[in-house]
Amino acid sequence: MSLFDPINGQRFFAPDLPGYDKLLGCVRCGRCLSVCPTYELTRIETFSPRGRLSLLRAVEDGRLELTRGVAEHLYHCLDCRSCDTVCPPGVGIGELIVRGRAAAEARHARPWWLRRLLDVFLASPARVETAAAPLRLLQALRLDRLVVLTLGGLPGIGATIRTLQAFAPRLSRPLRRELPRVVRASGEERHRVAFFLGCLMNVAMPDVSRATLHVLARAGCTVLIPREQACCGAPHDDQGQRATALRLARRNIALFESLPDGIEAIVTDCAGCGAALKEYALWLADDPEWASRARRFSARVRDVTEWLDAIWPEELKLDHEPRLAVYHDPCHLANIQGVRAAPRSLLARVSGLELRPLANGFPVECCGSAGIYNLTHTARSLALLERKMAAIEAAGAEMVVSANPGCLMQIAWGARRANRSLSLRHVVEILDASLPKTAGHDDDHVIGMSTKARKRGDSKNEF
Amino acid sequence: MNAAILSELRAAVQDDIRLSVAPEDLAAYAYDGTWAETAPAVVVHPDSSEQTAAVLRVAHARRIPVVPRGSGTGLAGGSLPVPGAICLNLARMNRIIEISRGDSLAIAQPGVVTQDLQQAVEKLGLFYPPDPASSYQCTLGGNVATNAGGPRCLKYGVTSDYVLGLTVCLPGGAIMRLGGRTIKNVTGYNLSQLIVGSEGTLGVVTEIVLRLIPRPDAERTALATFSRMADACAAVGAMLSAGIVPLLAELMDRATIRAVEEFRSFGLPTDVEALLLIAVDGDPALAQSAIDSAADILRGAGARDVRLSRSSEESDALGEARRSVSPAIARLAPHKLGEDVAVPRSRIPEMVARLQDIARENALDIVVYGHIGDGNLHPTLLCDRRDNAVMRRVERAAGQMLEAAVALGGTLSGEHGIGVFKRDYMRLACDSEALRRMAAVKRVFDPHGIMNPGKKLPEEIEKGAE
């Protein structure tokens, strides 16, 4: 056999993988190894982006069976997309790995409880809310610990239940039901945007989205909120449930198309949702009916920090109580959406807030949250969390500001585990708390939010 | 691999977790930075010199080939497994053991990433100059095995110029320490320099003592374009004659400039024959005056356009064009064969012309870039491995390029190594007396031929060594 013998280029996965050419695009330079969190932890090739692509290639070439091991290796990936930010040929590694998961699903399906959670509960906001209600009650009665005592020993799912209980945020009354269809700009309307409410924001961090709407209004935006919106599909895409992800994407695209003309942007305050919404164009690129509609939709999606930084009215000054803070880049915002400067530049407008650099460089060091990675790969997730907590400690921060619910919950978990007092804030919460007080005109009543809730002090750390 | 051997290997690395025969791991350890693929029989991940030596004891007794591997970024197939082999993943041995300011040296395990060492020593005001293009991920062990260079080596030398001492595990399980902590050392034969560049064919390096130098304060860069390749080469010659030894003297041919411009618009002219990126370093004032003189020389040599940086940040920005070469070329075709010939500097214009002829004769696209100061060129053939006819022409062209380099007084490889891709051409560059001595050396270290077989030496020479 000669080194120059040709390869055949078999097509095992088609059409679940977006083409053999993209896999061939990996020239195996190894650039991705230097930024991959799982490679850094293991120093084993199979846990690297290049290794994962090589497994897909080996299956395509017929050199390797599509084993359960292949599927497991695809799921060892955090989907943090650090690799994509440095890949010299621009292979689109993260997308290939996620598509590989979908391709593997037929032979090696995800656990039943996970599929059920995704396909039944997470597929519509109403069902998320219905599912959240009894959990909320459990938490309110502090019975969640009892559940752990009873079910925590179950084989298979027991460990997941234990982690979930330790990690889970305090659930709140769903925000969606109390939101109006329109939030008017306070003062002169300068922009018109639509708001995409993420599922986690809805049931776990409603205060963040309240702050988002409030800040948008104060910055001169009238905000339309289509209530029928579905989950963005990111969790489904992440867990190999591609058909559901695409169905949700089509539904959201059609819904936002139905809004009146003149919407400048579709704004979200969840980096995970934003990344998915921006990727609809990629998800549906091969669908002749939806490709161009998806492109138009994705082109209008903005993370709230990105949007606010672009339109912030100069005269709107921001003033915060003195705090030493760090900004934690969510992978899905910095790596996938390339939004790094906007949140920093917004926070730089806030007097009183001293922003210290966090030793995370670029690409971003993942905090280990990564969708449900902390439930499926708890030990590794915790190793990454501990690294992140050490960086926060080294920066001497008393507050961590970020822009993604998963990261905020994960870092809050890290603080609880270490018994550390640390405030966690979304960028919009900082902005909201720093806005000048208005005389008379306030839209708090419009978005069903008590001033008391919004002005709560720093003690909160209950994500 | 039979169960008895596997259990001996497991005992050697002391823990099941350090050994894998899972089909996924064998597939993921089947390659390096080239396109070639051969799965090993087992992958072991030693954590220490002792475990490594224990693996070599088993391999030696059982006559099993051992292929050491760092990050698998090599470009000659040097860490490519052979059938039935133990793939020795040294990436987990990645501790920097010591950085001594007093002695200006660092001691590191072979799995330390080159850039990690560089950043660690630079924090202390020290400098480790060798900078292979893959420094973000390649390992020091791989650097030692290939005697890696990089753009900065015209001024600062290659890896071997910094190796003061080595710990080497040998077939049979002996652990040998060579050299030490001193710059001068003529005690006995200089075996550490024999190990450097031996591509894992003699033993496995498990600890490295590296010399460090003071970190230069500032860097300045000039970017010049030339209508004629020969003028660019003459300019570098004139610079050296004037006493300016550049930190970088990087050359790009027209096809490379076009690829870079297409990848990211730097506003580079695409109708020129050559682009030169010159950098100088040192004390800020000296660096500034050196780059000003360099710019005068470049203009005098016929440069069409010269851009200069006034700060280290601007210097970084100009350097971006060079850093874009690899991604730009990666996007041109599904596969590429990057060669690594080196010729005497005065022969570069001839060599570049010859390379372009070879590509044309074989109906292949080629881009040429490289380190003009030391004559090390990276002609890169673009191809698609699914096309048999193209691959046959690539094979022929690759051979012709190596022949051309040797005919001009040059050599097969400047810094990538011989690996599997160039071993059949060794006779072009080495006479049979030299090859016989190399075979004898191989026999002294590795009587059963278990260390990285099929690499570095031509097949019949290696067989004779067994």
Side-chain angles (χ1 to χ4, degrees), chain B residues 172-184:
Chain B
I175 299 179
M176 169 174 74
R177 294 184 202 282
L178 300 169
R181 298 172 69 99
T182 59
I183 291 178
K184 293 179 175 174

Side-chain angles (χ1 to χ4, degrees), chain A residues 53-67:
Chain A
L53 289 193
S54 79
L55 294 185
L56 289 173
R57 261 285 305 284
V59 173
E60 278 288 45
D61 289 344
R63 285 177 287 120
L64 180 65
E65 288 286 309
L66 178 52
T67 57

Side-chain angles (χ1 to χ4, degrees), chain A residues 158-174:
Chain A
T160 310
I161 290 175
R162 287 197 303 276
T163 311
L164 189 58
Q165 191 272 336
F167 164 79
R170 297 277 128 200
L171 297 176
S172 313
R173 249 185 90 224

